[in-house]
Amino acid sequence: MNLTASLSLIAPELVLSASSLILLLMAAWMGDRHTQTISWLAALALAAATILAVPALSGGASGLSSEAFGGQFRADAYAAFAKILIYIAAIASILVAPAFFERLRAMRAEYPVLIVLATIGMSIMVSANDLMTLYIGLELNSLASYVLAAFLRNETRSAEAGLKYFVLGALASGILLFGMSLLYGFTGTTNFAGIESALGGGAQTGALFGLIFVLAGLAFKISAVPFHMWTPDVYEGAPTPVTLFFASAPKVAAVTLTARVALEAFGGQVEAWRQIVVFAALASIVVGALGAIGQTNLKRLLAYSSINNVGFLLIGLAAASLAGVAAMLAYLVVYVAMTLGSFVALLLLQDRTGEPLETLGDIAGLSSRSPGVAWSLLVLMFSLAGIPPLMGFWAKFVVFRAAVEADLLLLAVIGIAASVIGAFYYIKVVKVMFFDEPADREVAAAGGVNWAILIAAVLFISPLGYLLTGWLGTLANTAASALFIAA
Amino acid sequence: MVDLSQYLPILIFLGIALALSTAFVFLPMGVSQLTGTHNPTTEKLSEYECGFPAFEDPRSRFDVRFYLVAILFIVFDLEAAFLFPWAVSLDLTGWPGWITMMVFLFELVVGFVYAWKKGALEWE
Amino acid sequence: MIQTFAFYLFAVLLIASAVLVITSRNPVHAVLWLIVAFFNGAGLMVLVGAEFIAALLVIVYVGAVAVLFLFVVMMLDIDFAELRAGFIRHFPLGVLIALVLLAEIVLGVGAYRAGALELGAAGVAAEPIAGRSNIDNIGALLYTRYLFLFESAGLILLVAMIGAIVLTHRERPGSHKTHQNIDRQVRRRPQDATVMTRPDVGQGVEL
């Protein structure tokens, strides 16, 4: 193993680790008053890591040259694609936080540090090429996430969200570990390529058990049905910037990780895991769409919306083809933009006393009180519903096209039908904002960073985003092909 | 395979300790059962010293600060546990192994400095 | 022979104490039984030749984790009567889940019979170093081949520390006053603290 070559491949992680240690010491010395400074520095470190990840993506890194530490870690174009997306989402969740926590007088300098540490974990997850790397990355991310969910420790809801997330997350980790130990027992290795060659084309019952347990553990992380129960409660209880983080970055990490495990470690057992993925995809789409209908809390509503979106992402994976994975990656980009936009819009909604407007009733008639936010939300909701000519439509279109090409016509048809159910509650939000009697709650003006992120997200998913589809499609294809060359 | 015969003394020790402690617990019970009289009444079994029953459960709730101390202890305990194999295998791992451990220690020292500065190590 | 005897001794004690962990009504007793279970687990680890794991079980699990469990159990204000009422109410659900888990175990055992275990079959596995103990072998791998995972594990420990402090540490009012400032103490000079005056008789001093 060439240590220098390995270290150069993990440059983004090294930068993030070093800056997390420095920022932690700064947080201890400078105190909570300087959270703003520490947040900007953390965002800067993440931006540096993003730049360091770009060459692997544009260079289409793949194969043996992208393996570090004797095959435990893989810094290929696929990982780079996911990393860039994760870093951008992490930057957004750091920048929107100070204004939110300042209002509650709960500003803590540890927030950006924990986000950076969680991001390192996700970075390791998407580059994992070994079951042990997978587990270490997942735990680093999860542990930081549990703390972040309970960050407002004096609020019962936040503490409850943290506890719930922790208990269920620990259970999922246990399931995952059990599956991993079965796989190790039946194949004699933890390396993805090693597992694939040891399994060959067939799947013995024991290894199949391992596969199912590993997928179940990962399904918890991406909150796919039937492992989604924690999502609405945790998203509702966690502080909104943390929810924004949970709904974007860890989703990207877990979905790309699941695809890598499925295609690299179980490349010969496609038929075995496809049934599971198809079931989870359909169940997520339907439960996400139906569950959202009765919700009055906007954060819960968006939680169900994220469950619904995971279903569409899994359709791309179920195709198990290059086109399918590329479609999944493209969907992830659009999903992250829509999620960041929706949650930032939520953060912008607060009344004069600083109370957040969180329920459907609060945003009734928003168009007359805060037209900017209302119109942005209109675009976001229509995009989430998949209404052309917005980017949400393009994302769903590429995913369904990949599914049809992979002869999963029935899956695509049911998915399209279910997305019509989903459109109902997105449009209901728009209806409440534009046609209901205005609620008597003032909407206060809020920070410039939030507006910048909201405008960027809305512009990206607006028809203008179609100018980028060619470029995005090429990048997604390069990234996805890294997965298939290696396999 | 490890030579398990070196553990024979401790196994014998465990056996004897188990036998002795069992004897110490059950022998007096048996003896008193056989020799003493045993007819308890409610009066005999009630609280006697202060004349009134206990106000509350004697197990009072612990301060959350104990938990913080225990977590910090676990972290540094694990760190120490990792030092054992490092120390004995240093001739095999050489400088790379040494540097690896120093980086690991540095990570935890940063955490330690943070805990110290935050006052997490102080009781009051 | 003695090895078989030791295995059954540890295994029986382990299962018995594990059963007592979940059946004992007092959570403190449950934690104490858990410690017994950990000890017997360590004994089993010695029997399979994983001496370092055995030492870790005793040092980390018995020494630290069990203590943490005790603290947490004592921190919780558990109403035992209520707990038992809940147990009776949820008993049918519990039985159902237990049956599902039992089915899984049966299937899992069947799975073991179906396929061969291939421990160490892959070509990339490291060869054990001849003549060195288990702990040497672990060290030789952990700090070279797996150094990336080892350092990442260090970050996990760091997060655990930050998390514990963020969630439970509180600045107590007044704690700053009692704070010992060593720097200030050392910098203090006699002239900062004492004044030499020569008051006239009957005049007194102004302080």
Side-chain angles (χ1 to χ4, degrees), chain B residues 59-71 122-124, chain C residues 67-68 70-77 167-170 172:
Chain B
R59 202 180 308 108
S60 60
R61 288 175 68 175
F62 263 46
D63 196 310
V64 76
R65 283 180 289 175
F66 285 101
Y67 163 78
L68 182 56
V69 171
I71 281 268
E122 282 167 41
W123 197 253
E124 272 312 324
Chain C
V67 173
L68 180 70
L70 266 184
F71 282 163
V72 171
V73 162
M74 290 179 169
M75 220 153 61
L76 301 172
D77 199 12
L167 293 183
T168 63
H169 181 65
R170 272 164 215 278
R172 269 151 225 281

Side-chain angles (χ1 to χ4, degrees), chain C residues 2-67:
Chain C
I2 196 148
Q3 221 161 309
T4 323
F5 168 74
F7 171 77
Y8 282 108
L9 176 72
F10 288 135
V12 166
L13 284 177
L14 176 62
I15 293 173
S17 47
V19 167
L20 283 165
V21 171
I22 50 174
T23 50
S24 54
R25 292 187 166 180
N26 189 331
V28 177
H29 293 178
V31 174
L32 295 177
W33 282 117
L34 192 64
I35 294 176
V36 178
F38 282 147
F39 266 119
N40 288 298
L44 287 177
M45 286 296 170
V46 170
L47 282 180
V48 295
E51 292 161 301
F52 180 58
I53 306 290
L56 273 190
L57 266 176
V58 174
I59 296 172
V60 176
Y61 282 82
V62 177
V65 174
V67 173

Side-chain angles (χ1 to χ4, degrees), chain A residues 61-67 74 76 482 485-486:
Chain A
S62 63
L64 275 179
S65 63
S66 63
E67 282 194 357
R74 188 188 284 277
D76 54 8
I485 291 169

Side-chain angles (χ1 to χ4, degrees), chain A residues 277-300:
Chain A
V277 172
V278 165
F279 168 76
L282 287 181
S284 302
I285 293 174
V286 172
V287 170
L290 294 180
I293 289 174
Q295 302 304 326
T296 53
N297 184 298
L298 289 172
K299 277 159 91 179
R300 282 187 89 85

